[in-house]
Amino acid sequence: MHTPLARAQAGLGALLHRLDLYGLDVRLKIDGLQVSNPFADGCCEGNPEPSDTIACRPRPDDEGRFWFAHSWGEWIAEVDHVADAALLIAARLRAR
């Protein structure tokens, strides 16, 4: 993986497969992974189920290493820690 885009796509692809284990709906989109939990109630009419868009990008304060991040910018885990990231995302979305 020689380019930042390839690194990000590889990380998101690995995360997509790991999130499947939690019964979450996961779709790869241009801006990241759209993850939602169809088995839990969301906050409001406009968001009927818990969801998030996960990005994979360099983290400036960690020497540019790639990390997963929530849509609101909170860092989740380094890209090499896919299992940890999936667990934290699943917990946030109240997966079974």
Side-chain angles (χ1 to χ4, degrees):
M1 288 170 263
H2 302 304
T3 68
L5 179 58
R7 181 69 172 137
Q9 289 176 333
L12 290 172
L15 183 59
L16 182 149
H17 290 291
R18 188 66 184 210
L19 286 169
D20 278 345
L21 298 173
Y22 293 95
L24 297 168
D25 286 341
V26 185
R27 292 181 199 90
L28 184 58
K29 300 188 134 211
I30 193 83
D31 57 343
L33 285 182
Q34 176 66 41
V35 185
S36 61
N37 182 357
F39 304 105
D41 292 331
C43 67
C44 50
E45 187 175 315
N47 192 15
E49 57 193 36
S51 63
D52 194 4
T53 300
I54 307 301
C56 182
R57 62 179 186 263
R59 184 171 176 170
D61 63 345
D62 191 21
E63 299 178 6
R65 290 182 183 94
F66 277 76
W67 278 62
F68 297 111
H70 291 287
S71 57
W72 56 89
E74 181 181 332
W75 298 109
I76 302 169
E78 193 173 345
V79 73
D80 293 332
H81 298 263
V82 174
D84 295 338
L87 177 62
L88 291 169
I89 294 163
R92 171 77 69 168
L93 298 180
R94 299 186 309 271
R96 341 178 223 147

